[in-house]
Amino acid sequence: MKIGLSSEELKKRTSKEYLITKTMLKKDAPEYEKLAEGDKKALKELVKAAVILEEAFLKMDDARNLPFRDFLNAEIEKGNEDAKLAMILFKAQKGINTVDMNAQKFSLLEAAQELPGKGLYPADLTKEEFHKILKEMLESGKKEEVAKILNQRSIIVREGKGLKALDYTEAFKEEFSLAADHLLNASQTSTNKDFNEFLKLQAKALTVADPMADAYADKKWASLQDTPLEFTITRENYEDEMTETVYENEELSALLKKNDISPVSKDMLGFRVGIVNKEGTEKLLEIKKYLPELAKNMPFADKYEQNIPVAGAAQGKGAASGSGESDVKQTMVDVDIVTVKGDVGAYRAGITLAENLPNDDKLSISIGGGRRNVYHRQIRAISDKEQLQKILDATLDKKLHQFYENEADHWFTIGHENGHSLGPKSGTEALGKYKSIIEENKADMISMAMLDKLVELGMYTDLQKKQIITVFAADSVLKAKPNLSQAHRVRTVMQLNHFIKEGAFQIKDGVITIDFEKAVPAAQSMLRKIIDVQLSRDFEKGEKYVMENFIWSDDIEKLAEKLSQVKKTLNGCVEEELADELAR
């Protein structure tokens, strides 16, 4: 093995100018000191569980991650300075592979490339061979085996000339079992009965090959509101680029439909441990009473079922039983972060600000479970105010600086995360590799499209509406054209183009200007297109929609060049003093 970056590149990428640091709770944090002794003991167990589970994530991300880490450790023992710097990046990006803020993919391992199937599929399996094997298996009556291969929770290995699926609990038995023990230990000391029940359900889900065990754990987790501690195993499927390719093969796709198999990309596991912030949580909950009204105002709301009940709607399609806040199966918590591991903590061009889970493809939703929003206080904090001002000077009309309010970024994120609970509840898997791009696009546009309604309802003032629009505009500028695999960044480019076409934004004299009167209508028109595409369940229609909007124009390139001159950051890392102390 050899390190794939030169000494100069390693020094550059680990320097303060290029590697941003997000600081989680310190070991003397007042949030920790205020905890009851039982919760402090539980927190220690939860951190240890997250550390162990990250080993499973590293395996599913790339089979070469752990051998390369062993190689770096051996080289560090020999005094290899390059290995020390490479280890900083390995820990920051959680593995050998990443993409930076300039949309450049690279690997810490020489001659290595990120695989479309990550570590979830055999490394030498091509898309063409994958499709061929699945067709042969279906034609020979192996319907159940194919269904297991194309589900969210299986690692795929070769078996003769075919493929075989191993359930996550089988593939990661050692890590899952050890973590389950720590969760059970935590449930013995935590002071909250509901949280303890969840921990026991989650521990069971880690040790039995039964998707329903995950469903019961998810359902309980999504109901938690008044708990001192936060522990989450996130399961999102944005990273698997192999499974979804079956939708690109018309013959195979037809065979799967005939056999009643709905392929779903595989989950990458992330882990979060934190302390719930009561004041921040109370502020978040203000929007909950408005969600049924927002559901009512969704485009084509009578044509699909939503996770949120529609205000005043009768039982049936597009509605849920009753209406009002009491029927909203949506909990929300603001969390002081102790540690983020695995997929949640992987700093690859960006890091997660908040999450709305479980996603619609999860069984817990189908058995009546709700969803839960978790917001990351330390990650959303501004790391460098001076740099922020330089960015605004370079990209945003100076007349608009008065409306830039960092807290508005949080308000926008609240709208985005709740937006995931609105719109079609199921059926978007057929959009294949465009599904995640369109879903993230939808959540952003809901946050913007509902601003007038939220002002009318009293959630925001007219000034706050302008502040949210201004932050959205500023955040629309990227340093480089992203890859199609970067769902969040691709939708950012799509949105900037759309708002320019609609006259809501203009790029004048090299900076963005805003027509506030046109911003919300622009979001509403894009949202209608998104919902229409999601309802179509048509791969080609989804592809056409994305490609018509994903245009990197000359004006956008000039903005990107200006941003690159003042923002050198390529990636980031997290500093977790309290977690490091508790993990000992």
Side-chain angles (χ1 to χ4, degrees), residues 163-178:
L163 297 171
K164 178 183 177 181
L166 300 176
D167 188 84
Y168 279 2
T169 57
E170 182 181 356
F172 309 117
K173 183 175 181 179
E174 181 179 356
E175 293 86 359
F176 279 20
S177 296
L178 288 171

Side-chain angles (χ1 to χ4, degrees), residues 35-306:
L35 286 176
E37 284 305 311
D39 289 326
K40 286 182 179 179
K41 290 178 182 178
L43 190 66
K44 187 179 183 73
E45 298 289 343
L46 298 178
V47 169
K48 288 183 176 181
V51 170
I52 291 167
L53 287 168
E54 185 169 76
E55 297 297 288
F57 166 80
L58 290 171
K59 289 179 181 179
M60 63 173 55
D61 179 62
D62 195 302
R64 297 165 292 187
N65 278 336
L66 296 186
F68 184 74
R69 187 181 64 185
D70 292 341
F71 161 73
L72 288 183
N73 281 325
E75 289 298 304
I76 290 170
E77 285 291 322
K78 299 174 186 176
N80 185 332
E81 294 300 318
D82 283 358
K84 293 178 183 178
L85 298 178
M87 184 63 86
I88 292 172
L89 291 177
F90 182 92
K91 289 180 177 179
Q93 63 200 41
K94 308 295 184 188
I96 61 174
N97 302 311
T98 195
V99 59
D100 64 24
M101 292 182 188
N102 287 344
Q104 295 178 329
K105 287 189 174 184
F106 69 88
S107 179
L108 293 172
L109 174 61
E110 185 178 75
Q113 288 185 332
E114 186 176 29
L115 302 169
K118 304 301 182 282
L120 303 163
Y121 285 91
D124 61 349
L125 183 69
T126 65
K127 180 174 74 172
E128 291 73 22
E129 185 190 9
F130 178 47
H131 295 176
K132 179 175 179 289
I133 290 174
L134 291 180
K135 286 180 191 176
E136 291 172 349
M137 291 180 72
L138 287 172
E139 288 166 356
S140 61
K142 297 181 179 179
K143 173 183 173 179
E144 289 186 9
E145 290 89 337
V146 171
K148 289 177 181 178
I149 288 170
L150 296 176
N151 79 6
Q152 303 108 307
R153 48 179 291 155
S154 59
I155 297 291
I156 309 308
V157 296
R158 289 188 181 276
E159 185 176 58
K161 294 183 179 180
L163 297 171
K164 178 183 177 181
L166 300 176
D167 188 84
Y168 279 2
T169 57
E170 182 181 356
F172 309 117
K173 183 175 181 179
E174 181 179 356
E175 293 86 359
F176 279 20
S177 296
L178 288 171
D181 289 342
H182 284 294
L183 296 187
L184 290 175
N185 290 342
S187 73
Q188 298 302 310
T189 66
S190 163
T191 62
N192 187 276
K193 182 180 177 181
D194 281 339
F195 188 64
N196 293 340
E197 184 182 338
F198 155 66
L199 291 178
K200 291 172 185 175
L201 289 169
Q202 185 61 80
K204 181 180 179 180
L206 289 171
T207 55
V208 295
D210 180 3
M212 285 307 299
D214 276 330
Y216 293 134
D218 284 351
K219 186 177 181 181
K220 183 62 181 179
W221 175 81
S223 73
L224 300 178
Q225 185 61 71
D226 300 313
T227 62
L229 302 178
E230 171 66 20
F231 178 81
T232 318
I233 297 180
T234 67
R235 292 178 288 118
E236 296 196 272
N237 49 25
Y238 288 5
E239 303 302 321
D240 170 18
E241 297 176 41
M242 181 66 87
T243 305
E244 61 196 11
T245 64
V246 298
Y247 290 107
E248 300 169 33
N249 187 313
E250 290 185 12
E251 184 182 353
L252 175 57
S253 188
L255 263 176
L256 291 168
K257 189 173 182 179
K258 180 181 177 181
N259 283 276
D260 197 28
I261 297 173
S262 298
V264 182
S265 294
K266 300 189 182 304
D267 291 329
M268 297 297 285
L269 303 183
F271 318 98
R272 169 178 51 234
V273 182
I275 300 170
V276 176
N277 185 289
K278 289 186 177 181
E279 184 179 346
T281 297
E282 287 173 3
K283 186 67 178 174
L284 287 175
L285 288 170
E286 290 179 10
I287 198 172
K288 187 172 181 178
K289 62 188 175 186
Y290 303 127
L291 291 179
E293 188 65 26
L294 300 188
K296 178 182 175 182
N297 280 270
M298 284 294 294
F300 315 116
D302 60 335
K303 294 184 178 180
Y304 51 87
E305 184 181 358
Q306 304 187 65

Side-chain angles (χ1 to χ4, degrees), residues 431-446:
L431 299 176
K433 64 183 178 182
Y434 302 106
K435 178 192 75 171
S436 298
I437 295 171
I438 295 168
E439 175 62 25
E440 293 302 325
N441 182 200
K442 182 201 78 173
D444 266 10
M445 289 303 95
I446 288 173

